[in-house]
Amino acid sequence: MGRYVGTSVKRVEDPRFIQGKGRYVANIQFPDMVYVAIKRSPEAHARITRMDTSAAAAMDGVVAVFTGQDFKDGGCGSLPCGWLVPDTKVPDRPIVVTDRVCHVGDSVAVVAARTPYIAADAVEAIEVDYEPLPTVVDARGAMDEGAPLVHSEIENNVSYHWALGDQEACEKAFAEADEVVEIELVNQRLIPTAMEPRAAAAQWDAASEEMTVWTTSQNPHPIRLLLSAFTLGIPESKLRVISPDVGGGFGSKIFHYPEEVIVPWVARQVGRPARWVATRTESQMTDSQGRDHVTVAKLAMTSDGTFTGLDVETWANQGAYLSTFAPLIPTALYITLLSGNYKMPGVFGKVHGTLTNTVPVDAYRGAGRPEAAYLVERLVDLAATRLGRDPLDLRRQNAIPKEDFPYQTPVAFLYDSGDYDRLMTTAADRADYAGMRQAQAEARAEGKLRGVGVVCCIEASGPAPSAVAGSLGSAVGFWESGEVRVHPTGQVSVFTGSHAHGQGHETTLAQVVADELGVPIESVEVVHGDTGRVNFGMGTYGSRSACVGGSALVRSAEKVRAKVLQLGAHLLEAAEEDVVYDRDTGRVHVKGSPESGKDFGELAFAAYTAHNLPEGMEPGLDFVSFYDPANFTFPASSHICEVEVCPDTWEVRILRYVAVDDVGKVINPMIVEGQLQGGIVQGVGQALTEIGAYSDDGQLLSGTLLEYAVPRADLLPGIEVDRIETPSPHNPLGVKGAGEMGTIAATPAVANAVLDALAPLGVTHIELPLTPERIWRAVQAAGNGA
Amino acid sequence: MFPSQFDYHRAASVAEAVELLSSLPDAKLVAGGHSLIPAMKLRAAQPAALVDIGRIPGLADVSADGDSLVVGALATHAAVADSAAVRSGCPMLAETAAAIGDIQVRNRGTIGGSLAHADPGADYPAAMLALGAEITAVGAGGERTIAASDFFVDILTTALADNEVITSVRVPCVAGGAYLKHRHPASSYAVVGVAACVGMDGGNVGSCAIGINGVTGKAVLAGAAAAALCGGPASADRIAAAAGRVGDAFDEPLGDLYASGEFRAHLAGVYTRRALAVAAERAG
Ligand SMILES: Cc1cc2nc3c(=O)[nH]c(=O)nc-3n(C[C@H](O)[C@H](O)[C@H](O)COP(=O)(O)OP(=O)(O)OC[C@H]3O[C@@H](n4cnc5c(N)ncnc54)[C@H](O)[C@@H]3O)c2cc1C
């Protein structure tokens, strides 16, 4: 282990954040800037029969008003979808609609004005008449015979069907099963709710014909590519996309959004810099949302509790249009995870991606994997109940043994490494599981509704081998770039194609490179988020930045070391095999005589003066690597949650939450713990409070934070986080993803605990979120309670 | 989140505020701004002018006056929650103020604004009803006092005239009171809030009042439940039986995404039972 990797180095980004010195898109300001505001559809599905922008255009301070036709005529292409499974039907998604709106919040017209206040007034002054059309909002109902069509050319509202697994083995498992448990559940829609709303700003230089776009994106390079190739049509060489400090994304800031096209287009059109910042209400109705599955599934087992098969059918709501990676989430990131942490020969899943009059659905923290984990872990609990077995015990019985790694599941993935039994026993020890069960028995004897939830979950993180992604439908590759540029003084600039929006890459990637080179961390600066400074990179999502982005930097650092070593040997007049690169000090010296060596800084300087280089060596010290991972990495977790349900208000109180995770090697324990804690809170939010709900006519019922309940600190006691480490053999750092594991495991952990608490009342299933009323109704339906 | 255009006036006195309200078309008072400004940012409210009373001297005082407390209209929720006079004289009022929103809201929001706004999920109204508070307001025709039971007319509607300014609230000191709420997980407003007052007469309950907000468009008194508790001991059984009568107070329970009217009515029963038990214990 190096000096920095494995230690809780304080985050270098925090001083600027806690002093209010972060630089966000909303801080981008130019003297003659225009403020963009967007007229949004209040209708979920309607034909626009009349639009009158004249009053808005005539208002004092309004610079311009544009309609969908203006954008079309002005060369804006529709938003593409970047992941297409076979036979995907892709509805056209214009930047601004021309004649028909398909969800509440669809963009209808655009205003540019001298102040944001005037822009908002002008938006209100635009008159639009709508002729309402029939709506459909439900993932499964969308496929019903006679359901209204979101896009008339797409039959049955089906964008795609997809299936994976060993259907024969699955059928055999059910034919031979001693026991089968079944479930039908909804994985409810969630609204990501990053602290910072989405925003975009743009500046056009008419002389050089260069456009700079600032956007709240998790991946500026893919956005530049899409702007250039599809939507805005400015060559990549003339287009610079900058994602400065970004206040949280959780997936919702991966995608290419209309506003990223609208703002630069307007800036060029009016010849002034332009900026748009979403209001919270706009965020709720336009940021791509998460989850929204209806699933029917069953689990087959033998009488001794051995799982033999899992059969899953899911209807995945994709919303009104296909967001950038929408079809990926319920296919290659969901069905592939259905084997969970268990040995099951007969896993088979199929999914129907349907279109509805709702906001598009795409990746949200965990993306597909939480949906799989919640389903599998509920089924396992139902199996334990059926068999009269302890749920932890049944999980341990079926867990893939550590000797079986790498483990090939029936649903495509090859799990890299793990020790699920140790994970679960560590969690059980840490939680005093036996003591919790004892306390539960005592509480029950007093009439209390105490429950314990146990889960063991899997994640696929660090996407992805590019060829594999391509074969599954991706239009892009998922490698990452990393450049290590040593300056003549020995200072180091690190350029990563990944992007930090809360994860702390400026700290962790500096730790990695400082250790690789043996230089002080203070001399390593991490640069990201600017296509003008950083090589093409794929950005941050899927818990990939350490696995893929970090690995790319290791490769570049290795190249730096090799060159420095060669140069050092030359200057020390020794053979290369006789010198060593001391990674603790960054010095190159002759073996056995450290005092004879040369400092990293001296050698860097020598590389740039180039007065005395070995034969054939180029001057300079700067290396780029493009790292394509050999496989995903597979973090795992075992969480134990203890709850009590109040027997008259039906509120859930979490008494303890213990999380033991295996995210492989840990670069910075403090940051990993922060990622897990934050992730867990979001998972608890899905379990207890959050729901993105639509009325049948497509109105968003949780359109503001007065209705949409993001979890607050008082929802949870202190989370107890612990870990085990099984290094990933696939990447040089041995790391696995840490950003999403908490979210994936927390939802089923809490749900299992609550249903365990309610078991004495005969309740076996409640749809999420487990609000007091839903619990009250379930208890009543089971014939119990007040 | 950009309000439409409005003019801003700062009143130096109550008289000036009344004068501005009377003369300016479509003017509204602003005090703490924690109900009005959010509504304006959503453009749900678009007043042509705001009359800021926030800096009128003397209007934020909280003091004891014999068996009553007099709370100035500009007293913030935090000031009421922290006031020694309130905490000793009428613990339930302090408890109600402390249950409102979060720290920022309590530091800005005022009792006058909360009562005038009359949000169905606001916390003060139930307490005002149960305590039998009196609201003093000044209008063009001078000062008048309105009983809490006459004050709340309908959802977001009170007995105040357009140009009347609440100046203070007189609250009787009641030892045996309690306010409990079921907090909305998103807004933190009351899904149900129950204010219960119990006065003991020997071993029996001599007086009882129960105010409930959150369930219907305006806060209501649960008269039947309160009457059911009087005339006997405050035993757990009698409290439960009384609480079982709260449903009589609701003609049309409100529902939302989080809690239907039916569930709110259920919660009202639970919180009434709990609040009565605490109030009776405090009554001694
Ligand atoms: C995030 C958040 C959470 C909240 N949670 C809660 C909660 O849990 N419980 C709760 O009860 N409230 C809650 N509130 C509301 C808060 O208590 C408000 O402060 C209060 O409702 C209004 O008081 P104000 O002084 O801010 O009034 P303002 O917003 O300034 O005014 C509100 C209305 O009252 C009128 N008005 C103000 N003062 C007077 C006066 N003296 N005479 C006549 N009319 C007047 C105004 O014209 C306006 O119509 C919350 C608010 C927010 C923003």
Side-chain angles (χ1 to χ4, degrees):
Chain A
M1 188 185 291
R3 286 174 300 163
Y4 301 111
V5 169
T7 66
S8 293
V9 173
K10 290 228 170 80
R11 286 165 38 107
V12 299
E13 37 282 89
D14 284 346
R16 75 172 184 273
F17 290 150
I18 61 180
Q19 293 178 80
K21 292 178 182 163
R23 189 169 168 80
Y24 298 89
V25 176
N27 299 120
I28 305 294
Q29 190 104 34
F30 298 100
D32 55 344
M33 193 161 84
V34 295
Y35 293 82
V36 171
I38 296 162
K39 179 88 176 169
R40 305 275 177 197
S41 169
E43 297 284 338
H45 197 193
R47 197 164 286 117
I48 296 174
T49 55
R50 186 187 72 99
M51 173 144 46
D52 185 349
T53 58
S54 55
M59 286 171 75
D60 194 21
V62 170
V63 176
V65 181
F66 300 106
T67 64
Q69 199 59 45
D70 295 327
F71 285 90
K72 219 171 182 171
D73 297 345
C76 288
S78 296
L79 290 164
C81 178
W83 193 287
L84 303 176
V85 300
D87 300 323
T88 307
K89 307 284 185 300
V90 186
D92 181 51
R93 187 181 185 191
I95 301 302
V96 177
V97 305
T98 49
D99 56 351
R100 198 169 59 94
V101 293
C102 295
H103 68 85
V104 168
D106 225 348
S107 15
V108 170
V110 172
V111 170
R114 199 163 39 77
T115 72
Y117 294 87
I118 296 170
D121 286 346
V123 158
E124 226 178 43
I126 296 173
E127 291 172 26
V128 187
D129 289 347
Y130 297 96
E131 178 193 313
L133 297 168
T135 56
V136 61
V137 298
D138 175 55
R140 186 165 49 176
M143 273 174 68
D144 286 351
E145 200 65 49
L149 294 182
V150 181
H151 303 279
S152 56
E153 70 283 10
I154 298 180
E155 270 175 52
N156 295 109
N157 296 311
V158 175
S159 176
Y160 58 86
H161 299 290
W162 200 80
L164 182 71
D166 189 338
Q167 192 166 13
E168 216 169 285
C170 181
E171 280 165 9
K172 182 163 172 283
F174 282 92
E176 294 171 1
D178 297 327
E179 296 284 351
V180 173
V181 288
E182 298 180 41
I183 198 165
E184 176 170 343
L185 57 76
V186 173
N187 198 295
Q188 86 270 30
R189 184 181 284 244
L190 301 176
I191 303 181
T193 327
M195 185 88 83
E196 179 206 23
R198 284 191 302 113
Q203 189 180 33
W204 169 246
D205 183 332
S208 64
E209 301 200 315
E210 282 174 350
M211 178 72 82
T212 306
V213 179
W214 291 261
T215 176
T216 50
S217 176
Q218 301 178 210
N219 32 231
H221 284 95
I223 297 302
R224 186 185 63 174
L225 169 61
L226 294 170
L227 279 168
S228 183
F230 293 94
T231 50
L232 191 60
I234 294 176
E236 278 179 286
S237 55
K238 294 285 187 187
L239 187 57
R240 179 175 177 190
V241 176
I242 302 173
S243 297
D245 285 330
V246 172
F250 311 114
S252 71
K253 291 175 181 165
I254 298 171
F255 322 118
H256 188 26
Y257 286 98
E259 297 82 3
E260 285 168 330
V261 188
I262 291 172
V263 173
W265 188 88
V266 167
R268 189 174 52 178
Q269 209 69 20
V270 303
R272 289 164 67 171
R275 194 181 82 194
W276 165 84
V277 179
T279 63
R280 179 57 63 185
T281 314
E282 269 182 307
S283 297
Q284 297 284 105
M285 62 165 101
T286 65
D287 292 5
S288 286
Q289 302 181 346
R291 321 275 194 261
D292 205 341
H293 286 188
V294 176
T295 294
V296 180
K298 54 187 179 178
L299 175 69
M301 68 205 102
T302 61
S303 54
D304 78 344
T306 305
F307 303 156
T308 53
L310 177 68
D311 188 8
V312 174
E313 181 168 15
T314 291
W315 290 262
N317 198 336
Q318 300 278 264
Y321 307 104
L322 291 183
S323 173
T324 314
F325 287 115
L328 158 67
I329 314 308
T331 59
L333 287 182
Y334 166 67
I335 303 284
T336 49
L337 273 302
L338 289 173
S339 193
N341 307 56
Y342 310 111
K343 253 185 129 141
M344 279 191 276
V347 183
F348 179 73
K350 58 174 181 269
V351 60
H352 316 286
T354 59
L355 298 164
T356 61
N357 296 110
T358 61
V359 175
V361 177
D362 207 320
Y364 169 57
R365 200 169 191 172
R369 293 149 291 174
E371 293 90 315
Y374 173 60
L375 177 66
V376 171
E377 291 302 289
R378 280 302 303 137
L379 277 168
V380 172
D381 260 28
L382 291 178
T385 306
R386 169 73 59 83
L387 299 167
R389 293 279 301 278
D390 177 86
L392 178 67
D393 197 39
L394 185 64
R395 284 177 170 82
R396 291 183 62 193
Q397 177 187 339
N398 284 283
I400 299 160
K402 74 168 191 283
E403 311 75 69
D404 286 19
F405 290 91
Y407 176 79
Q408 178 63 55
T409 73
V411 272
F413 276 147
L414 182 73
Y415 292 173
D416 54 353
S417 62
D419 186 347
Y420 305 150
D421 195 66
R422 182 154 67 94
L423 198 58
M424 284 188 270
T425 53
T426 307
D429 286 348
R430 178 74 202 247
D432 183 17
Y433 181 68
M436 268 186 185
R437 287 293 179 199
Q438 177 67 33
Q440 179 185 31
E442 286 161 16
R444 277 185 177 167
E446 291 169 30
K448 289 184 179 160
L449 299 172
R450 176 80 69 96
V452 179
V454 186
V455 292
C456 191
C457 297
I458 185 83
E459 181 195 354
S461 66
S466 298
V468 173
S471 73
L472 289 168
S474 177
V476 291
F478 285 99
W479 44 269
E480 193 50 272
S481 72
E483 176 177 357
V484 176
R485 181 183 301 165
V486 183
H487 302 290
T489 56
Q491 299 284 310
V492 181
S493 288
V494 166
F495 300 86
T496 176
S498 63
H499 182 271
H501 28 280
Q503 297 89 340
H505 297 168
E506 290 166 39
T507 307
T508 48
L509 296 179
Q511 287 177 258
V512 168
V513 172
D515 274 357
E516 287 294 324
L517 299 181
V519 298
I521 195 166
E522 296 74 23
S523 67
V524 181
E525 166 214 33
V526 176
V527 179
H528 66 93
D530 182 349
T531 65
R533 296 184 70 192
V534 181
N535 292 289
F536 199 105
M538 290 308 297
T540 288
Y541 36 80
S543 304
R544 69 192 302 273
S545 300
C547 317
V548 191
S551 298
L553 289 172
V554 171
R555 291 284 178 259
S556 290
E558 283 166 354
K559 293 174 192 168
V560 168
R561 271 207 317 271
K563 183 166 179 176
V564 165
L565 183 82
Q566 200 193 343
L567 177 57
H570 175 72
L571 294 178
L572 292 168
E573 296 176 352
E576 253 183 78
E577 51 279 12
D578 292 335
V579 296
V580 287
Y581 187 121
D582 182 343
R583 282 176 61 185
D584 285 335
T585 61
R587 278 169 67 84
V588 176
H589 61 78
V590 176
K591 275 180 195 160
S593 54
E595 68 290 347
S596 70
K598 298 224 171 265
D599 283 340
F600 185 75
E602 280 177 83
L603 293 167
F605 197 67
Y608 280 93
T609 60
H611 295 162
N612 181 11
L613 297 181
E615 175 101 28
M617 179 181 276
E618 291 179 9
L621 197 53
D622 187 350
F623 287 99
V624 188
S625 302
F626 293 83
Y627 177 86
D628 200 4
N631 191 358
F632 285 81
T633 65
F634 293 88
S637 63
S638 182
H639 292 194
I640 298 181
C641 174
E642 184 180 40
V643 302
E644 205 159 282
V645 179
C646 176
D648 52 19
T649 65
W650 305 104
E651 284 161 298
V652 173
R653 192 157 63 93
I654 298 177
L655 305 177
R656 271 186 84 193
Y657 196 99
V658 176
V660 179
D661 289 81
D662 176 4
V663 296
K665 283 278 181 208
V666 168
I667 296 171
N668 185 317
M670 173 191 73
I671 286 180
V672 164
E673 181 168 344
Q675 287 290 318
L676 288 167
Q677 299 241 6
I680 288 165
V681 172
Q682 273 175 310
V684 174
Q686 171 160 28
L688 296 181
T689 65
E690 296 185 43
I691 180 165
Y694 286 89
S695 65
D696 288 344
D697 60 354
Q699 290 298 320
L700 182 57
L701 301 176
S702 40
T704 77
L705 294 180
L706 280 173
E707 302 92 20
Y708 190 80
V710 176
R712 292 164 193 253
D714 63 1
L715 194 68
L716 273 144
I719 301 168
E720 302 164 55
V721 175
D722 205 347
R723 63 170 194 272
I724 68 167
E725 280 186 11
T726 65
S728 172
H730 296 305
N731 63 63
L733 291 164
V735 294
K736 300 178 178 179
E740 298 166 289
M741 199 64 255
T743 312
I744 293 165
T747 306
V750 174
N752 282 350
V754 171
L755 286 156
D756 185 48
L758 298 172
L761 300 180
V763 175
T764 55
H765 179 67
I766 309 176
E767 298 293 7
L768 305 180
L770 303 171
T771 61
E773 174 156 11
R774 288 176 180 221
I775 296 174
W776 178 64
R777 292 200 180 276
V779 169
Q780 282 185 325
N784 284 293
Chain B
M1 305 301 226
F2 296 100
S4 50
Q5 206 171 323
F6 57 89
D7 293 330
Y8 174 85
H9 304 266
R10 182 183 294 159
S13 65
V14 172
E16 189 189 353
V18 172
E19 165 58 30
L20 286 165
L21 279 181
S22 309
S23 59
L24 297 166
D26 196 17
K28 267 203 156 293
L29 293 180
V30 65
H34 266 47
S35 287
L36 184 55
I37 305 293
M40 288 169 65
K41 287 171 110 182
L42 290 169
R43 298 196 171 210
Q46 307 197 354
L50 290 187
V51 176
D52 187 350
I53 57 171
R55 303 195 194 181
I56 297 178
L59 230 53
D61 297 346
V62 182
S63 57
D65 178 17
D67 284 349
S68 301
L69 295 164
V70 178
V71 182
L74 288 182
T76 62
H77 311 326
V80 173
D82 293 344
S83 154
V86 178
R87 290 164 78 110
S88 62
C90 190
M92 183 240 272
L93 186 62
E95 195 166 67
T96 308
I100 296 173
D102 51 40
I103 292 171
Q104 288 90 333
V105 173
R106 291 194 290 277
N107 280 340
R108 291 293 306 169
T110 67
I111 191 168
S114 175
L115 298 179
H117 191 62
D119 193 292
D123 293 295
Y124 271 133
M128 295 298 121
L129 288 173
L131 290 165
E134 288 176 337
I135 292 129
T136 300
V138 174
E143 186 178 279
R144 65 169 175 143
T145 297
I146 311 163
S149 53
D150 296 329
F151 185 81
F152 301 106
V153 174
D154 203 344
I155 187 163
L156 304 175
T157 311
T158 68
L160 287 176
D162 280 349
N163 61 358
E164 272 184 309
V165 180
I166 299 174
T167 49
S168 67
V169 184
R170 178 176 287 270
V171 182
C173 288
V174 172
Y179 179 75
L180 294 174
K181 79 188 273 196
H182 185 98
R183 201 174 266 278
H184 189 285
S187 73
S188 87
Y189 275 88
V191 174
V192 169
V194 177
C197 292
V198 172
M200 297 303 288
D201 183 4
N204 288 339
V205 175
S207 63
C208 177
I210 302 164
I212 301 179
N213 41 235
V215 183
T216 48
K218 63 166 183 164
V220 291
L221 279 166
L229 190 63
C230 291
S235 64
D237 285 353
R238 296 192 70 253
I239 285 176
R245 303 283 307 273
V246 288
D248 296 4
F250 317 128
D251 3 315
E252 257 178 280
L254 300 173
D256 65 7
L257 183 60
Y258 176 71
S260 67
E262 206 186 334
F263 186 60
R264 281 169 200 259
H266 162 77
L267 285 178
V270 174
Y271 282 89
T272 300
R273 176 165 52 71
R274 293 184 181 183
L276 283 173
V278 178
E281 198 179 307
R282 287 183 183 161

